[in-house]
Amino acid sequence: MTWTEIGWVIIGLAVVLLLFFNLLFTRRDWYPVRVNPAVNAFVKQRVRALEGGKQSQVVLGNRFWSRAYPALGLHALSVSASLVKADPGAQETQVFAAGTGELSLFARQILCGTYQDGYSSALNLILTGPTPHAFMAGFLAEMGLHSPGSVGLFGHYGPMEALILEAAQMKGGHSFAAAGSISAQAALFLTTRDLLIGEEIFLLPGLMDRSPSLQAAWISEDILRVLMIALLVIAAGLTLAGVL
Amino acid sequence: MNMPELVWGVVGFLLTVMILSYLIGDNFFFRLAAYLFVGVTAGFLTVLIARQILWPYLLQPLLEGSTYQRLWVLIPLLLSLMLILSQISQLRALSRIPLAFLAGLTAALVIGGAVFGTMIPQMRAVVIGFQPAAWHTESRSSWMHTVDAVVMLIGVIGTLSYFHFGSRFKRKTDSSDLSRPRLLQALARVGEVFIGFALGALFAGIFSSALLAMIDRIVFLGGWIARWVGGG
Amino acid sequence: MKRIIVILTASLTGLTILAGYFFQTQLANLTGLLIEWGILLVGLAGVIGVGYLFKMHLVRVAHWQKGSLLSLIVLVAFLVTVGIGFFLPPDSAFFRNWVLNIQIPVETSLLAILAVTMLFASLRIIRTRGWTLMSVSFLISALISLILNLHYLNPAIGTAGAEWLEFVRRLPLAGLRGILIGIALGGLIVGLRVLLGMDRPYEDES
């Protein structure tokens, strides 16, 4: 079996697991996941900001797709869908910031889907700059005009975005980060207590909106991860024996 | 120094000072430079997209192409029109099809990129260290090679275990529960160390490049100040 | 019915591209065409996104809201750049100078600010994250990597010192590989959820 074939097997298995668990379970809390203090803190501070009439800013990233981290854009959209579902009443104070046109268009679609009537996308969807650096500079400048109560970074970004969270903290807001490139996470590790590292980010939509479908994603990912660990051990053994 | 060089030098000097002024706190000058930068970048991007994407992929085939090319461009033209018209709030629903197309395309690229671009090459790189043939061909001693391969495998397994979502108690979620199933929990402790090592090393790289940028700006500012003070 | 057509558009497009990974030669033309259309839509979305930015600042200026003077700067800078860009030929040195002489100082200065921010943040890492296995190993690794990056330690090739140094250099790779494999696994699930219609970011109806 070649590595490419192994890749297809993994894809096939993921499809089967996702469909199986999606059809099998209908309850909301059937797969217990570990408590994540960072997410709990984010949820708490976000609610506090919204109740206090302060802005809760949701940053969707500065790219929709990248070769190294292809899924982060779609993941950010999944998170934002969960966030608007979790707080449909926060129409005025929840601000979504995107760094690309595609992200803005998708975010507009998600927002319109939730806030059906009387929703004005101009109110809470902003594009602060159309390239990664311009987005960051624009966002920092906007923060000078409107101090946020909480800022959450989701999607694709680089180490420079550590400045956004540092600025939010300086202004008394809460900061939270999920996703970003690994180098972004290395920079954010220093500046942000509430940070999700690596694959932890994929916990997020399900923690905001405990739909059975998102829990099917959790368990599928957990099973695949264990299988991959087993695969690595077996492949190492076979390579050592000269079979692979 | 000629006039354009002088003008651009002064612009660069002022922008550097304005942006660096953020170090003493958020202020009007920082925002001024940031907004100028945003405006210029947005303009540049618009020109770039018009010249490198919209013209060659849509307008040129439509205006100058053969009948066959014009026919093929009808579908993207329709998708583009739907996307543009959907900006009128009454016609918002029109964006569903082009966005669905874009989401489907991206999802497939995500799957292909994740599995064949990242997962498989990284797994291969872990396993390849166990090839006995490779141990004798390089300058490193074979025992060191073995240690390296084993540590790599343990590190990767530990790191993967750290990301396990499920908790140990399967019946009822305990609000204070942070632990994974027992074996994975033990491996995750090892993973924590390796994740720390990885992030620390990356941080060192980022910090070094950021420091170089700072030195570059200081040298730039120093050069200009020296020129003015020295009258050169 | 409408919903099914939309979901089918996403799924069929995705499945065709995915099939292109399997039947590379047979489907190369079709997948190439679909990707070209995708690039075109991304480009168009980029222009619409710039439109959002323009509209946001225009509204601010029109209603004389907070920050309207700065918004005016954005609008003027944008219009001037677009004007120069379309008026001058594509390889114009003036246009290049106009953009680069604003972009480079700003981008490099932002990176310089990051250096200072990270320096101060690293001094309070334990206060931020506490004494955990991860924070301690982060600190140790960062310190060792910074020392190694200075290239003071240069043992002769083939010696035990050189081998250990190489081992230490490669140590962070294990964690990196684990993180990358994990992110790829998560990405696979995210992508499949969109293809299977479980996640529908393109819908404007809940």
Side-chain angles (χ1 to χ4, degrees):
Chain A
M1 196 177 222
T2 65
W3 281 100
T4 310
E5 285 164 354
I6 291 173
W8 284 109
V9 170
I10 292 172
I11 294 175
L13 210 55
V15 173
V16 172
L17 287 171
L18 263 178
L19 288 175
F20 174 73
F21 288 114
N22 205 43
L23 294 173
L24 190 68
F25 297 100
T26 47
R27 273 193 308 114
R28 286 178 76 81
D29 276 321
W30 59 267
Y31 187 60
V33 287
R34 288 182 298 116
V35 172
N36 192 304
V39 177
N40 286 354
F42 170 61
V43 172
K44 208 166 122 186
Q45 295 294 334
R46 194 170 146 270
V47 171
R48 187 177 289 174
L50 295 173
E51 283 175 356
K54 283 201 154 192
Q55 277 188 355
S56 167
Q57 294 187 332
V58 180
V59 185
L60 299 177
N62 58 25
R63 275 185 206 176
F64 181 53
W65 189 84
S66 77
R67 197 174 281 275
Y69 306 96
L72 295 182
L74 282 178
H75 178 256
L77 295 175
S78 177
V79 173
S80 47
S82 307
L83 282 173
V84 287
K85 260 190 219 163
D87 268 309
Q91 189 171 342
E92 303 287 325
T93 42
Q94 188 155 251
V95 176
F96 289 78
T100 70
E102 314 93 275
L103 279 172
S104 304
L105 287 174
F106 278 112
R108 177 177 179 257
Q109 204 77 346
I110 290 167
L111 290 171
C112 290
T114 311
Y115 309 137
Q116 288 283 331
D117 299 314
Y119 167 71
S120 161
S121 60
L123 265 180
N124 45 5
L125 174 63
I126 55 170
L127 189 141
T128 57
T131 65
H133 279 100
F135 170 71
M136 213 276 296
F139 197 87
L140 276 181
E142 283 292 315
M143 275 169 94
L145 297 173
H146 312 282
S147 295
S150 86
V151 177
L153 288 192
F154 308 94
H156 191 286
Y157 46 83
M160 294 280 270
E161 269 72 5
L163 291 178
I164 290 180
L165 294 191
E166 188 74 3
Q169 285 166 16
M170 298 272 270
K171 287 177 184 295
H174 176 258
S175 63
F176 171 79
S181 63
I182 305 183
S183 49
Q185 295 185 353
L188 290 165
F189 190 80
L190 290 170
T191 55
T192 314
R193 193 198 335 244
D194 297 322
L195 166 73
L196 297 188
I197 294 165
E199 204 187 338
E200 273 185 326
I201 61 173
F202 296 103
L203 255 176
L204 207 57
L207 286 180
M208 298 289 151
D209 166 30
R210 284 188 177 258
S211 69
S213 143
L214 285 165
Q215 292 185 58
W218 284 344
I219 193 168
S220 305
E221 211 168 320
D222 272 354
I223 292 172
L224 281 171
R225 196 181 308 103
V226 171
L227 287 176
M228 269 162 58
I229 291 173
L231 179 70
L232 274 172
V233 175
I234 293 166
L238 290 176
T239 308
L240 196 63
V243 179
L244 201 70
Chain B
M1 184 184 285
N2 58 27
M3 196 57 187
E5 261 181 57
L6 181 73
V7 171
W8 293 129
V10 172
V11 169
F13 182 87
L14 288 175
L15 286 173
T16 303
V17 173
M18 284 161 126
I19 293 288
L20 289 182
S21 72
Y22 187 76
L23 286 171
I24 52 169
D26 181 35
N27 62 75
F28 176 80
F29 294 107
F30 168 76
R31 291 202 287 270
L32 182 71
Y35 279 127
L36 177 73
F37 172 60
V38 169
V40 169
T41 309
F44 177 62
L45 191 77
T46 308
V47 174
L48 206 68
I49 291 173
R51 282 206 171 130
Q52 295 191 359
I53 296 178
L54 298 183
W55 174 252
Y57 288 109
L58 186 71
L59 299 173
Q60 197 175 28
L62 205 64
L63 300 173
E64 298 172 1
S66 60
T67 316
Y68 177 75
Q69 280 175 318
R70 279 182 193 165
L71 278 176
W72 266 117
V73 99
L74 279 181
I75 300 172
L77 178 70
L78 189 69
L79 291 172
S80 305
L81 283 176
M82 288 166 103
L83 206 56
I84 293 168
L85 289 173
S86 71
Q87 296 312 302
I88 302 166
S89 45
Q90 288 85 351
L91 301 175
R92 202 182 63 214
L94 283 178
S95 64
R96 283 179 207 157
I97 295 279
L99 287 183
F101 172 81
L102 212 52
L105 185 76
T106 311
L109 292 175
V110 164
I111 294 167
V115 175
F116 301 110
T118 306
M119 196 188 287
I120 295 298
Q122 292 301 330
M123 285 171 80
R124 271 184 81 168
V126 175
V127 169
I128 219 156
F130 287 88
Q131 266 181 354
W135 296 357
H136 306 290
T137 53
E138 290 179 21
S139 56
R140 301 170 76 191
S141 57
S142 57
W143 70 270
M144 198 65 196
H145 218 119
T146 318
V147 171
D148 193 84
V150 171
V151 169
M152 185 69 75
L153 183 67
I154 293 171
V156 171
I157 290 175
T159 306
L160 283 172
S161 307
Y162 177 82
F163 296 128
H164 189 82
F165 299 156
S167 72
R168 190 182 297 173
F169 307 104
K170 294 292 176 195
R171 295 216 172 151
K172 195 167 193 274
T173 319
D174 179 351
S175 61
S176 62
D177 183 25
L178 291 164
S179 47
R180 304 155 183 85
R182 252 174 248 286
L183 177 63
L184 290 173
Q185 181 66 19
L187 287 167
R189 298 291 283 174
V190 180
E192 243 183 279
V193 176
F194 279 95
I195 293 171
F197 282 153
L199 295 181
L202 280 173
F203 163 75
I206 301 160
F207 184 65
S208 305
S209 12
L211 211 58
L212 281 177
M214 194 166 81
I215 294 167
D216 172 79
R217 283 300 92 189
I218 291 170
V219 169
F220 173 77
L221 290 179
W224 275 91
I225 291 169
R227 221 172 266 179
W228 286 328
V229 172
Chain C
M1 186 61 192
K2 270 188 217 161
R3 175 175 264 193
I4 292 171
I5 293 173
V6 175
I7 295 173
L8 273 179
T9 306
S11 301
L12 288 179
T13 308
L15 288 174
T16 312
I17 296 289
L18 212 52
Y21 280 95
F22 203 80
F23 304 104
Q24 285 182 357
T25 43
Q26 295 92 329
L27 289 176
N29 285 339
L30 182 61
T31 53
L33 192 70
L34 290 179
I35 289 173
E36 260 184 31
W37 294 354
I39 292 171
L40 176 65
L41 285 180
V42 166
L44 197 64
V47 176
I48 294 173
V50 171
Y52 285 176
L53 177 82
F54 190 85
K55 189 181 160 194
M56 178 178 97
H57 289 287
L58 194 66
V59 168
R60 214 176 265 176
V61 172
H63 294 102
W64 206 239
Q65 290 167 347
K66 192 178 175 187
S68 51
L69 183 68
L70 293 165
S71 288
L72 193 64
I73 301 278
V74 178
L75 297 177
V76 171
F78 171 76
L79 291 173
V80 168
T81 310
V82 169
I84 298 171
F86 283 126
F87 185 71
L88 295 177
D91 53 352
S92 152
F94 180 78
F95 183 57
R96 205 180 54 235
N97 276 336
W98 165 254
V99 174
L100 291 183
N101 281 298
I102 289 173
Q103 279 185 342
I104 291 172
V106 173
E107 289 180 5
T108 326
S109 304
L110 284 170
L111 206 55
I113 294 175
L114 183 68
V116 179
T117 306
M118 289 210 295
L119 183 69
F120 283 108
S122 60
L123 297 177
R124 53 183 158 82
I125 179 178
I126 297 300
R127 208 174 67 196
T128 309
R129 310 207 68 93
W131 291 100
T132 63
L133 267 179
M134 205 184 282
S135 59
V136 173
S137 50
F138 178 97
L139 271 179
I140 294 170
S141 170
L143 210 64
I144 292 174
S145 300
L146 280 171
I147 294 168
L148 291 181
N149 286 352
L150 293 173
H151 296 285
Y152 279 141
L153 299 170
N154 285 317
I157 297 166
T159 60
E163 288 203 21
W164 277 106
L165 202 65
E166 180 61 16
F167 175 74
V168 172
R169 269 190 209 283
R170 283 174 54 84
L171 208 52
L173 268 183
L176 270 179
R177 292 216 160 106
I179 295 173
L180 283 171
I181 294 172
I183 291 179
L185 182 58
L188 167 66
I189 299 289
V190 168
L192 284 177
R193 280 179 56 78
V194 174
L195 279 198
L196 297 172
M198 295 171 182
D199 252 350
R200 297 184 291 273
Y202 39 80
E203 276 199 339
D204 60 345
E205 278 174 359
S206 49

